[in-house]
PDB file of all heavy atoms in Angstrom:
ATOM      1  N   ILE K   5     113.900  90.200 108.767  1.00 98.00           N
ATOM      2  CA  ILE K   5     114.548  91.181 109.637  1.00 98.00           C
ATOM      3  C   ILE K   5     113.982  92.573 109.346  1.00 98.00           C
ATOM      4  O   ILE K   5     113.751  93.370 110.237  1.00 98.00           O
ATOM      5  CB  ILE K   5     116.087  91.167 109.405  1.00 98.00           C
ATOM      6  CG1 ILE K   5     116.654  89.743 109.572  1.00 98.00           C
ATOM      7  CG2 ILE K   5     116.777  92.166 110.340  1.00 98.00           C
ATOM      8  CD1 ILE K   5     116.466  89.108 110.929  1.00 98.00           C
ATOM      9  N   ASP K   6     113.776  92.833 108.050  1.00 98.00           N
ATOM     10  CA  ASP K   6     113.320  94.138 107.574  1.00 98.00           C
ATOM     11  C   ASP K   6     112.128  93.846 106.653  1.00 98.00           C
ATOM     12  O   ASP K   6     112.179  92.859 105.904  1.00 98.00           O
ATOM     13  CB  ASP K   6     114.510  94.743 106.791  1.00 98.00           C
ATOM     14  CG  ASP K   6     114.243  96.100 106.190  1.00 98.00           C
ATOM     15  OD1 ASP K   6     113.079  96.447 105.963  1.00 98.00           O
ATOM     16  OD2 ASP K   6     115.230  96.804 105.907  1.00 98.00           O
ATOM     17  N   ILE K   7     111.098  94.660 106.672  1.00 98.00           N
ATOM     18  CA  ILE K   7     109.929  94.401 105.820  1.00 98.00           C
ATOM     19  C   ILE K   7     110.345  94.335 104.348  1.00 98.00           C
ATOM     20  O   ILE K   7     109.735  93.627 103.549  1.00 98.00           O
ATOM     21  CB  ILE K   7     108.805  95.461 106.051  1.00 98.00           C
ATOM     22  CG1 ILE K   7     107.496  95.065 105.359  1.00 98.00           C
ATOM     23  CG2 ILE K   7     109.221  96.861 105.629  1.00 98.00           C
ATOM     24  CD1 ILE K   7     106.811  93.866 105.924  1.00 98.00           C
ATOM     25  N   MET K   8     111.448  95.032 103.982  1.00 98.00           N
ATOM     26  CA  MET K   8     111.884  95.034 102.591  1.00 98.00           C
ATOM     27  C   MET K   8     112.529  93.698 102.195  1.00 98.00           C
ATOM     28  O   MET K   8     112.885  93.491 101.043  1.00 98.00           O
ATOM     29  CB  MET K   8     112.825  96.207 102.318  1.00 98.00           C
ATOM     30  CG  MET K   8     112.206  97.559 102.612  1.00 98.00           C
ATOM     31  SD  MET K   8     110.582  97.783 101.837  1.00 98.00           S
ATOM     32  CE  MET K   8     111.016  98.949 100.558  1.00 98.00           C
ATOM     33  N   GLU K 105     118.921  97.917 118.404  1.00 97.00           N
ATOM     34  CA  GLU K 105     118.740  97.932 116.962  1.00 97.00           C
ATOM     35  C   GLU K 105     119.742  96.958 116.335  1.00 97.00           C
ATOM     36  O   GLU K 105     120.933  97.008 116.660  1.00 97.00           O
ATOM     37  CB  GLU K 105     118.989  99.346 116.409  1.00 97.00           C
ATOM     38  CG  GLU K 105     117.922 100.367 116.755  1.00 97.00           C
ATOM     39  CD  GLU K 105     118.000 100.930 118.184  1.00 97.00           C
ATOM     40  OE1 GLU K 105     118.968 100.613 118.912  1.00 97.00           O
ATOM     41  OE2 GLU K 105     117.071 101.676 118.568  1.00 97.00           O
ATOM     42  N   ARG K 109     119.357  90.725 113.420  1.00 98.00           N
ATOM     43  CA  ARG K 109     120.240  90.437 112.282  1.00 98.00           C
ATOM     44  C   ARG K 109     121.495  89.692 112.767  1.00 98.00           C
ATOM     45  O   ARG K 109     121.967  88.752 112.126  1.00 98.00           O
ATOM     46  CB  ARG K 109     120.623  91.728 111.544  1.00 98.00           C
ATOM     47  CG  ARG K 109     121.218  91.454 110.189  1.00 98.00           C
ATOM     48  CD  ARG K 109     121.517  92.707 109.387  1.00 98.00           C
ATOM     49  NE  ARG K 109     120.360  93.455 108.932  1.00 98.00           N
ATOM     50  CZ  ARG K 109     119.540  93.077 107.960  1.00 98.00           C
ATOM     51  NH1 ARG K 109     119.725  91.933 107.338  1.00 98.00           N
ATOM     52  NH2 ARG K 109     118.526  93.839 107.607  1.00 98.00           N
ATOM     53  N   ASN K 121     112.241  89.186 113.119  1.00 98.00           N
ATOM     54  CA  ASN K 121     112.421  90.375 113.959  1.00 98.00           C
ATOM     55  C   ASN K 121     111.048  90.812 114.490  1.00 98.00           C
ATOM     56  O   ASN K 121     110.195  91.263 113.727  1.00 98.00           O
ATOM     57  CB  ASN K 121     113.053  91.486 113.100  1.00 98.00           C
ATOM     58  CG  ASN K 121     113.195  92.795 113.847  1.00 98.00           C
ATOM     59  OD1 ASN K 121     112.921  92.861 115.043  1.00 98.00           O
ATOM     60  ND2 ASN K 121     113.630  93.837 113.138  1.00 98.00           N
ATOM     61  N   ALA K 122     110.861  90.681 115.783  1.00 98.00           N
ATOM     62  CA  ALA K 122     109.579  91.070 116.393  1.00 98.00           C
ATOM     63  C   ALA K 122     109.713  92.443 117.045  1.00 98.00           C
ATOM     64  O   ALA K 122     108.991  92.770 117.991  1.00 98.00           O
ATOM     65  CB  ALA K 122     109.161  90.012 117.401  1.00 98.00           C
ATOM     66  N   GLY K 123     110.636  93.255 116.514  1.00 98.00           N
ATOM     67  CA  GLY K 123     110.859  94.612 117.029  1.00 98.00           C
ATOM     68  C   GLY K 123     112.278  94.735 117.557  1.00 98.00           C
ATOM     69  O   GLY K 123     112.643  94.016 118.485  1.00 98.00           O
ATOM     70  N   ASP K 124     113.081  95.614 116.930  1.00 97.00           N
ATOM     71  CA  ASP K 124     114.443  95.843 117.436  1.00 97.00           C
ATOM     72  C   ASP K 124     114.616  97.325 117.777  1.00 97.00           C
ATOM     73  O   ASP K 124     114.737  98.175 116.909  1.00 97.00           O
ATOM     74  CB  ASP K 124     115.525  95.334 116.465  1.00 97.00           C
ATOM     75  CG  ASP K 124     115.541  95.997 115.095  1.00 97.00           C
ATOM     76  OD1 ASP K 124     114.450  96.371 114.594  1.00 97.00           O
ATOM     77  OD2 ASP K 124     116.637  96.162 114.531  1.00 97.00           O
ATOM     78  N   GLY K 125     114.626  97.610 119.057  1.00 96.00           N
ATOM     79  CA  GLY K 125     114.807  98.978 119.552  1.00 96.00           C
ATOM     80  C   GLY K 125     113.895  99.958 118.833  1.00 96.00           C
ATOM     81  O   GLY K 125     112.722  99.662 118.573  1.00 96.00           O
ATOM     82  N   GLY K 126     114.438 101.119 118.496  1.00 96.00           N
ATOM     83  CA  GLY K 126     113.641 102.132 117.799  1.00 96.00           C
ATOM     84  C   GLY K 126     113.764 102.016 116.295  1.00 96.00           C
ATOM     85  O   GLY K 126     113.546 102.990 115.564  1.00 96.00           O
ATOM     86  N   HIS K 127     114.101 100.836 115.796  1.00 97.00           N
ATOM     87  CA  HIS K 127     114.457 100.628 114.396  1.00 97.00           C
ATOM     88  C   HIS K 127     113.266 100.148 113.572  1.00 97.00           C
ATOM     89  O   HIS K 127     112.515 100.963 113.045  1.00 97.00           O
ATOM     90  CB  HIS K 127     115.620  99.611 114.395  1.00 97.00           C
ATOM     91  CG  HIS K 127     116.364  99.478 113.128  1.00 97.00           C
ATOM     92  ND1 HIS K 127     116.952  98.285 112.759  1.00 97.00           N
ATOM     93  CD2 HIS K 127     116.646 100.358 112.150  1.00 97.00           C
ATOM     94  CE1 HIS K 127     117.575  98.459 111.597  1.00 97.00           C
ATOM     95  NE2 HIS K 127     117.401  99.696 111.207  1.00 97.00           N
ATOM     96  N   TYR K 128     113.043  98.823 113.527  1.00 98.00           N
ATOM     97  CA  TYR K 128     112.016  98.252 112.660  1.00 98.00           C
ATOM     98  C   TYR K 128     111.116  97.254 113.391  1.00 98.00           C
ATOM     99  O   TYR K 128     111.507  96.693 114.427  1.00 98.00           O
ATOM    100  CB  TYR K 128     112.677  97.522 111.484  1.00 98.00           C
ATOM    101  CG  TYR K 128     113.347  98.432 110.483  1.00 98.00           C
ATOM    102  CD1 TYR K 128     114.558  98.069 109.890  1.00 98.00           C
ATOM    103  CD2 TYR K 128     112.773  99.638 110.100  1.00 98.00           C
ATOM    104  CE1 TYR K 128     115.179  98.880 108.951  1.00 98.00           C
ATOM    105  CE2 TYR K 128     113.389 100.457 109.159  1.00 98.00           C
ATOM    106  CZ  TYR K 128     114.587 100.079 108.586  1.00 98.00           C
ATOM    107  OH  TYR K 128     115.200 100.862 107.669  1.00 98.00           O
ATOM    108  N   HIS K 129     109.967  96.997 112.785  1.00 98.00           N
ATOM    109  CA  HIS K 129     109.019  96.038 113.351  1.00 98.00           C
ATOM    110  C   HIS K 129     108.198  95.457 112.193  1.00 98.00           C
ATOM    111  O   HIS K 129     107.026  95.778 112.020  1.00 98.00           O
ATOM    112  CB  HIS K 129     108.107  96.772 114.347  1.00 98.00           C
ATOM    113  CG  HIS K 129     107.298  95.894 115.242  1.00 98.00           C
ATOM    114  ND1 HIS K 129     107.075  94.554 114.989  1.00 98.00           N
ATOM    115  CD2 HIS K 129     106.640  96.171 116.390  1.00 98.00           C
ATOM    116  CE1 HIS K 129     106.303  94.057 115.951  1.00 98.00           C
ATOM    117  NE2 HIS K 129     106.035  95.010 116.810  1.00 98.00           N
ATOM    118  N   PRO K 130     108.844  94.603 111.380  1.00 98.00           N
ATOM    119  CA  PRO K 130     108.199  94.150 110.141  1.00 98.00           C
ATOM    120  C   PRO K 130     106.897  93.383 110.321  1.00 98.00           C
ATOM    121  O   PRO K 130     106.008  93.483 109.473  1.00 98.00           O
ATOM    122  CB  PRO K 130     109.258  93.256 109.476  1.00 98.00           C
ATOM    123  CG  PRO K 130     110.248  92.927 110.541  1.00 98.00           C
ATOM    124  CD  PRO K 130     110.220  94.068 111.507  1.00 98.00           C
ATOM    125  N   THR K 131     106.742  92.623 111.409  1.00 98.00           N
ATOM    126  CA  THR K 131     105.487  91.846 111.510  1.00 98.00           C
ATOM    127  C   THR K 131     104.316  92.731 111.924  1.00 98.00           C
ATOM    128  O   THR K 131     103.169  92.418 111.631  1.00 98.00           O
ATOM    129  CB  THR K 131     105.587  90.615 112.438  1.00 98.00           C
ATOM    130  OG1 THR K 131     105.759  91.037 113.794  1.00 98.00           O
ATOM    131  CG2 THR K 131     106.733  89.705 112.027  1.00 98.00           C
ATOM    132  N   THR K 133     104.066  95.642 110.639  1.00 98.00           N
ATOM    133  CA  THR K 133     103.735  96.206 109.322  1.00 98.00           C
ATOM    134  C   THR K 133     102.896  95.227 108.503  1.00 98.00           C
ATOM    135  O   THR K 133     101.959  95.641 107.815  1.00 98.00           O
ATOM    136  CB  THR K 133     105.019  96.600 108.577  1.00 98.00           C
ATOM    137  OG1 THR K 133     105.660  97.585 109.368  1.00 98.00           O
ATOM    138  CG2 THR K 133     104.732  97.158 107.200  1.00 98.00           C
ATOM    139  N   GLY K 161     109.292 105.444 117.078  1.00 97.00           N
ATOM    140  CA  GLY K 161     108.235 104.456 116.759  1.00 97.00           C
ATOM    141  C   GLY K 161     108.673 103.549 115.615  1.00 97.00           C
ATOM    142  O   GLY K 161     108.550 103.879 114.445  1.00 97.00           O
ATOM    143  N   ARG K 162     109.149 102.371 115.973  1.00 98.00           N
ATOM    144  CA  ARG K 162     109.687 101.450 114.946  1.00 98.00           C
ATOM    145  C   ARG K 162     108.625 100.970 113.969  1.00 98.00           C
ATOM    146  O   ARG K 162     108.907 100.669 112.819  1.00 98.00           O
ATOM    147  CB  ARG K 162     110.359 100.259 115.633  1.00 98.00           C
ATOM    148  CG  ARG K 162     109.440  99.506 116.609  1.00 98.00           C
ATOM    149  CD  ARG K 162     110.240  98.590 117.499  1.00 98.00           C
ATOM    150  NE  ARG K 162     109.420  97.972 118.538  1.00 98.00           N
ATOM    151  CZ  ARG K 162     109.934  97.333 119.584  1.00 98.00           C
ATOM    152  NH1 ARG K 162     111.244  97.247 119.741  1.00 98.00           N
ATOM    153  NH2 ARG K 162     109.148  96.777 120.480  1.00 98.00           N
ATOM    154  N   THR K 163     107.360 100.915 114.425  1.00 98.00           N
ATOM    155  CA  THR K 163     106.305 100.444 113.520  1.00 98.00           C
ATOM    156  C   THR K 163     106.132 101.447 112.366  1.00 98.00           C
ATOM    157  O   THR K 163     105.842 101.060 111.246  1.00 98.00           O
ATOM    158  CB  THR K 163     104.959 100.270 114.257  1.00 98.00           C
ATOM    159  OG1 THR K 163     104.494 101.548 114.692  1.00 98.00           O
ATOM    160  CG2 THR K 163     105.095  99.371 115.468  1.00 98.00           C
ATOM    161  N   VAL K 164     106.333 102.719 112.684  1.00 98.00           N
ATOM    162  CA  VAL K 164     106.195 103.785 111.684  1.00 98.00           C
ATOM    163  C   VAL K 164     107.272 103.625 110.597  1.00 98.00           C
ATOM    164  O   VAL K 164     106.994 103.765 109.403  1.00 98.00           O
ATOM    165  CB  VAL K 164     106.350 105.164 112.382  1.00 98.00           C
ATOM    166  CG1 VAL K 164     106.528 106.286 111.375  1.00 98.00           C
ATOM    167  CG2 VAL K 164     105.166 105.427 113.296  1.00 98.00           C
ATOM    168  N   HIS K 165     108.494 103.312 111.026  1.00 98.00           N
ATOM    169  CA  HIS K 165     109.601 103.216 110.058  1.00 98.00           C
ATOM    170  C   HIS K 165     109.345 102.079 109.066  1.00 98.00           C
ATOM    171  O   HIS K 165     109.526 102.237 107.859  1.00 98.00           O
ATOM    172  CB  HIS K 165     110.934 103.006 110.787  1.00 98.00           C
ATOM    173  CG  HIS K 165     111.173 104.026 111.858  1.00 98.00           C
ATOM    174  ND1 HIS K 165     112.015 103.825 112.923  1.00 98.00           N
ATOM    175  CD2 HIS K 165     110.651 105.270 112.047  1.00 98.00           C
ATOM    176  CE1 HIS K 165     112.000 104.886 113.709  1.00 98.00           C
ATOM    177  NE2 HIS K 165     111.179 105.780 113.192  1.00 98.00           N
ATOM    178  N   SER K 166     108.922 100.933 109.581  1.00 98.00           N
ATOM    179  CA  SER K 166     108.661  99.796 108.688  1.00 98.00           C
ATOM    180  C   SER K 166     107.439 100.054 107.809  1.00 98.00           C
ATOM    181  O   SER K 166     107.413  99.645 106.649  1.00 98.00           O
ATOM    182  CB  SER K 166     108.449  98.514 109.500  1.00 98.00           C
ATOM    183  OG  SER K 166     109.637  98.153 110.155  1.00 98.00           O
ATOM    184  N   LEU K 167     106.449 100.736 108.350  1.00 98.00           N
ATOM    185  CA  LEU K 167     105.238 100.999 107.556  1.00 98.00           C
ATOM    186  C   LEU K 167     105.537 101.977 106.413  1.00 98.00           C
ATOM    187  O   LEU K 167     105.061 101.795 105.287  1.00 98.00           O
ATOM    188  CB  LEU K 167     104.109 101.535 108.445  1.00 98.00           C
ATOM    189  CG  LEU K 167     102.768 101.748 107.754  1.00 98.00           C
ATOM    190  CD1 LEU K 167     102.231 100.449 107.120  1.00 98.00           C
ATOM    191  CD2 LEU K 167     101.720 102.307 108.722  1.00 98.00           C
ATOM    192  N   ALA K 169     108.413 102.336 104.904  1.00 98.00           N
ATOM    193  CA  ALA K 169     109.164 101.582 103.899  1.00 98.00           C
ATOM    194  C   ALA K 169     108.205 100.746 103.050  1.00 98.00           C
ATOM    195  O   ALA K 169     108.256 100.779 101.814  1.00 98.00           O
ATOM    196  CB  ALA K 169     110.190 100.674 104.586  1.00 98.00           C
ATOM    197  N   TYR K 192     117.294 108.748 108.097  1.00 96.00           N
ATOM    198  CA  TYR K 192     117.603 107.547 107.294  1.00 96.00           C
ATOM    199  C   TYR K 192     116.326 106.946 106.696  1.00 96.00           C
ATOM    200  O   TYR K 192     116.365 106.371 105.617  1.00 96.00           O
ATOM    201  CB  TYR K 192     118.407 106.500 108.090  1.00 96.00           C
ATOM    202  CG  TYR K 192     117.649 105.699 109.147  1.00 96.00           C
ATOM    203  CD1 TYR K 192     117.050 104.479 108.840  1.00 96.00           C
ATOM    204  CD2 TYR K 192     117.549 106.143 110.458  1.00 96.00           C
ATOM    205  CE1 TYR K 192     116.371 103.732 109.799  1.00 96.00           C
ATOM    206  CE2 TYR K 192     116.871 105.410 111.425  1.00 96.00           C
ATOM    207  CZ  TYR K 192     116.274 104.208 111.093  1.00 96.00           C
ATOM    208  OH  TYR K 192     115.605 103.477 112.038  1.00 96.00           O
ATOM    209  N   VAL K 193     115.222 107.104 107.374  1.00 98.00           N
ATOM    210  CA  VAL K 193     113.952 106.580 106.853  1.00 98.00           C
ATOM    211  C   VAL K 193     113.401 107.552 105.801  1.00 98.00           C
ATOM    212  O   VAL K 193     112.997 107.153 104.707  1.00 98.00           O
ATOM    213  CB  VAL K 193     112.920 106.384 107.997  1.00 98.00           C
ATOM    214  CG1 VAL K 193     111.567 105.946 107.444  1.00 98.00           C
ATOM    215  CG2 VAL K 193     113.428 105.381 109.017  1.00 98.00           C
ATOM    216  N   LYS K 196     115.581 107.555 102.428  1.00 97.00           N
ATOM    217  CA  LYS K 196     115.541 106.335 101.632  1.00 97.00           C
ATOM    218  C   LYS K 196     114.148 106.018 101.081  1.00 97.00           C
ATOM    219  O   LYS K 196     114.015 105.580  99.947  1.00 97.00           O
ATOM    220  CB  LYS K 196     116.024 105.185 102.519  1.00 97.00           C
ATOM    221  CG  LYS K 196     116.353 103.920 101.784  1.00 97.00           C
ATOM    222  CD  LYS K 196     117.212 103.024 102.661  1.00 97.00           C
ATOM    223  CE  LYS K 196     117.329 101.643 102.059  1.00 97.00           C
ATOM    224  NZ  LYS K 196     117.859 100.685 103.013  1.00 97.00           N
ATOM    225  N   TYR K 197     113.139 106.203 101.887  1.00 97.00           N
ATOM    226  CA  TYR K 197     111.822 105.720 101.474  1.00 97.00           C
ATOM    227  C   TYR K 197     110.848 106.816 101.030  1.00 97.00           C
ATOM    228  O   TYR K 197     109.820 106.519 100.470  1.00 97.00           O
ATOM    229  CB  TYR K 197     111.196 104.889 102.597  1.00 97.00           C
ATOM    230  CG  TYR K 197     112.027 103.680 102.905  1.00 97.00           C
ATOM    231  CD1 TYR K 197     112.685 103.548 104.124  1.00 97.00           C
ATOM    232  CD2 TYR K 197     112.205 102.689 101.943  1.00 97.00           C
ATOM    233  CE1 TYR K 197     113.484 102.450 104.385  1.00 97.00           C
ATOM    234  CE2 TYR K 197     113.001 101.592 102.191  1.00 97.00           C
ATOM    235  CZ  TYR K 197     113.634 101.474 103.414  1.00 97.00           C
ATOM    236  OH  TYR K 197     114.434 100.390 103.664  1.00 97.00           O
TER     237      TYR K 197
END
Side-chain angles (χ1 to χ4, degrees):
I5 306 299
D6 179 337
I7 190 68
M8 302 310 252
E105 289 78 6
R109 195 176 292 287
N121 176 6
D124 62 327
H127 194 210
Y128 290 141
H129 194 343
T131 67
T133 299
R162 56 195 174 193
T163 66
V164 167
H165 308 157
S166 294
L167 184 58
Y192 74 91
V193 175
K196 194 162 169 194
Y197 298 113

